[in-house]
Amino acid sequence: MDDQLSTEQVAWILDRSQESVRDMIRSGEIEGARIPAGFRIPKAEALRLARERIEAEAGRKLSDRQLERVIDELIATNEERRERS
């Protein structure tokens, strides 16, 4: 996992749209930084968001290492799908 994630990658983690993620950054729900190409979300924030979602939906607790693995797989799968489209 990179140190910074894009809004698209965080949208995949949250199962939301990129616009929703941008709105959440603007409202302060998600920590993110504005850059010329858009927004970037710190790795620690992505882990927090993934942990909250997994615990709420599946009732499971995962270590940071397990979360990173899940996020890496999710991002890789979605990037492959995007490239095939």
Side-chain angles (χ1 to χ4, degrees):
M1 175 189 294
D2 294 331
D3 288 338
Q4 301 280 316
L5 280 74
S6 68
T7 55
E8 180 178 41
Q9 292 167 325
V10 172
W12 292 332
I13 292 167
L14 298 177
D15 195 26
R16 300 268 186 107
S17 70
Q18 289 184 61
E19 187 58 38
S20 292
V21 172
R22 287 188 288 269
D23 289 343
M24 293 169 81
I25 293 168
R26 289 181 190 113
S27 72
E29 293 176 65
I30 296 176
E31 179 186 334
R34 181 89 164 116
I35 62 169
F39 290 96
R40 288 293 176 262
I41 297 91
K43 173 183 172 180
E45 184 71 351
L47 289 171
R48 179 187 72 81
L49 296 166
R51 178 174 282 111
E52 287 178 0
R53 181 173 180 212
I54 289 169
E55 287 179 2
E57 293 180 8
R60 294 182 54 201
K61 293 188 184 253
L62 300 175
S63 69
D64 283 353
R65 175 178 254 162
Q66 291 170 315
L67 279 171
E68 284 186 41
R69 199 168 332 142
V70 168
I71 291 169
D72 286 342
E73 290 174 13
L74 178 73
I75 290 170
T77 299
N78 280 288
E79 285 176 346
E80 286 176 22
R81 284 183 188 152
R82 185 182 62 204
E83 289 172 6
R84 286 190 299 232
S85 301

